[in-house]
Amino acid sequence: MQDAFTPTSLLVTGGAGFIGSNFINHFMAGNPGCRVINLDLLTYAGNLKNLAAVEENPDYRFVKGDICDAGLVAGLLAEGEVDAVVHFAAESHVDRSITGPDIFVRTNVLGTQTLLEASRLHAERVAGFRFLQVSTDEVYGSLGAQGYFTEETPLAPNSPYSASKAGADLLVRAYSETFGLATLNTRCSNNYGPYHFPEKLIPLMIHNILKKKPLPVYGDGLNVRDWLHVKDHSVAIERVLKLGKPGEIFNVGGNNEWKNIDIVNLVCDLMDERLGRRPGESRGLIAFVKDRKGHDRRYAIDASKLKRELSWEPSYTFERGIAETIDWYLANQGWVEEVVSGAYREYYEKQYGQH
Ligand code: NAD
Ligand code: DAU
């Protein structure tokens, strides 16, 4: 294990999104005195309401802006005397990447390269500077019924989203190898928890069950994902930032594989209990729809390196995490109503209208 790096000033990108906001809330609670600049473009997926807990904190600053704006990024790094970048900003939804890949290449590839280049120049003046790239297990492609992704698994992305993330990861590697930039790269499985945008499977199902709308399950519903609570992901990122050896990649996963249809059934049953509906009532809303193009069959992460080297393990059981998540959505229906606004309604119609 490395000697601990103690950041004094972080630039977090995409900190108004699902994972970025959970990370900032977690990190600022545990690291008083460390300044945090949150650079976020506030696309459809960004929401400042996620950050109510930190907005009055004098160490926190929000900047609305684009990671592709090289001048803005360089200025923030210099003014903020930033000693670490934690890079979340991305287009993150696979289905959107199938209908409109361009923005994924711009944000995820060009945006990452813009941040890396500014970081390279900035690092020449700031000893100990680190760049942490937050990435995904999807860069490894798809598994059959057996086996796990390790950090050595070759990259074989299948969707425009995962290809753009793999491209970004390779640029991170190149800046480490070519320029000696101190980079770290995490690759995590599917997250769930509060502030998850309702285009994604779990919050989409919760929302549609509440509204008694159809529950669209792609294909045969037997695709497998490995689910991790977003707070456990936040803890992992903090640990890698402080203790990871530069140049290394760390897989992050929940060792918690579920077939999609089993997750949907579970969410239906937990919702029925809470809403006082008849047992099995919401399962009646399930509708098998046309499969996602190029739908990866199974993801499963081997996170043993993170456990062995940095003593990280998930703290949430899925039973607790999913129950708390459902309760959070039921207690925060105003948040959901607000994000499910005009632009999202258009996307929803386009995505599910024809299925
Ligand atoms: P999200 O879509 O909820 O949030 C993305 C954020 O990035 C939003 O706040 C958005 O406004 C911002 N953003 C987009 N384009 C930007 C730009 N050009 N400049 C500045 N900000 C911009 O995404 P998420 O689910 O929170 O994912 C965060 C990161 O974690 C992504 O890099 C994603 O690839 C990775 N990841 C996600 C998961 C998951 O399960 N959601 C799992 C593993 C890795
Ligand atoms: O594995 C990590 C990845 O997890 C992240 O890198 C991505 O940013 C994140 O969006 C997520 O990707 P997935 O494609 O796995 O997540 P999504 O919630 O879109 O879908 C989960 C599974 O559920 C997937 O097999 C597709 C299926 N699905 C999804 C939707 C939205 C359905 O069956 N019906 C749906 O309506």
Side-chain angles (χ1 to χ4, degrees):
M1 205 185 288
Q2 285 276 115
D3 288 346
F5 162 72
T6 310
T8 59
S9 181
L10 286 190
L11 175 65
V12 175
T13 71
F18 165 48
I19 306 178
S21 61
N22 274 286
F23 173 77
I24 291 178
N25 288 325
H26 159 79
F27 185 85
M28 293 201 79
N31 293 272
C34 179
R35 283 167 288 144
V36 172
I37 303 171
N38 176 9
L39 171 63
D40 194 298
L41 190 56
L42 296 182
T43 68
Y44 79 93
N47 188 344
L48 291 179
K49 297 252 162 75
N50 306 1
L51 295 150
V54 296
E55 66 187 3
E56 300 294 332
N57 186 327
D59 289 325
Y60 173 75
R61 179 179 165 208
F62 176 74
V63 177
K64 181 174 187 298
D66 191 340
I67 56 166
C68 298
D69 181 342
L72 173 66
V73 172
L76 291 176
L77 291 172
E79 281 162 38
E81 296 169 339
V82 168
D83 54 10
V85 170
V86 184
H87 175 34
F88 294 94
E91 287 295 331
S92 69
H93 194 44
V94 174
D95 292 321
R96 288 181 189 257
S97 83
I98 295 166
T99 48
D102 310 30
I103 186 73
F104 284 73
V105 176
R106 181 185 183 276
T107 301
N108 300 358
V109 182
L110 188 60
T112 302
Q113 191 272 330
T114 306
L115 287 168
L116 285 165
E117 182 61 16
S119 296
R120 169 177 90 79
L121 297 170
H122 180 72
E124 287 172 6
R125 297 187 297 274
V126 179
F129 177 90
R130 293 180 157 211
F131 184 103
L132 191 153
Q133 157 79 351
V134 179
S135 191
T136 168
D137 57 2
E138 298 200 13
V139 298
Y140 298 122
S142 183
L143 290 166
Q146 306 294 321
Y148 295 89
F149 298 132
T150 73
E151 290 81 359
E152 278 74 47
T153 302
L155 302 191
N158 292 318
S159 71
Y161 162 70
S162 54
S164 68
K165 290 295 291 185
D169 285 10
L170 291 176
L171 284 162
V172 169
R173 176 189 158 92
Y175 270 74
S176 165
E177 293 291 323
T178 304
F179 302 113
L181 185 68
T183 63
L184 295 148
N185 195 164
T186 56
R187 292 183 179 145
C188 190
S189 63
N190 286 62
N191 285 212
Y192 70 98
Y195 307 123
H196 204 182
F197 195 88
E199 67 191 350
K200 308 290 199 306
L201 181 74
I202 290 179
L204 176 76
M205 294 301 156
I206 295 172
H207 183 63
N208 285 13
I209 291 167
L210 257 174
K211 302 279 175 201
K212 298 195 173 180
K213 286 170 69 171
L215 309 178
V217 174
Y218 296 160
D220 60 9
L222 300 180
N223 299 65
V224 172
R225 297 292 182 266
D226 166 9
W227 293 93
L228 179 72
H229 196 282
V230 65
K231 288 191 184 152
D232 282 324
H233 189 190
S234 298
V235 172
I237 291 169
E238 180 180 4
R239 203 154 295 179
V240 171
L241 177 69
K242 291 180 172 175
L243 298 169
K245 185 165 158 239
E248 296 279 315
I249 297 166
F250 291 91
N251 281 353
V252 188
N255 197 17
N256 178 42
E257 290 181 51
W258 284 78
K259 294 185 183 84
N260 291 338
I261 188 63
D262 293 340
I263 286 261
V264 174
N265 281 330
L266 175 68
V267 173
C268 283
D269 296 349
L270 293 172
M271 290 285 287
D272 284 346
E273 272 170 39
R274 283 160 176 74
L275 298 172
R277 291 186 187 163
R278 180 172 50 74
E281 189 175 335
S282 296
R283 288 189 185 207
L285 297 168
I286 292 172
F288 288 91
V289 298
K290 196 169 136 205
D291 209 354
R292 174 184 277 175
K293 286 190 177 123
H295 196 176
D296 286 337
R297 194 61 169 171
R298 174 172 168 259
Y299 303 145
I301 275 278
D302 175 346
S304 57
K305 177 178 174 184
L306 189 56
K307 181 176 178 188
R308 196 174 56 247
E309 296 189 7
L310 305 187
S311 307
W312 174 90
E313 271 187 294
S315 68
Y316 276 80
T317 60
F318 191 60
E319 194 184 14
R320 172 186 161 208
I322 193 73
E324 284 185 15
T325 300
I326 289 175
D327 291 337
W328 185 89
Y329 277 91
L330 291 176
N332 290 277
Q333 289 181 45
W335 181 91
V336 181
E337 291 307 330
E338 202 169 298
V339 300
V340 182
S341 61
Y344 178 70
R345 272 201 289 275
E346 270 170 43
Y347 160 80
Y348 193 89
E349 198 40 50
K350 213 167 130 201
Q351 175 67 16
Y352 297 103
Q354 74 237 19
H355 281 259

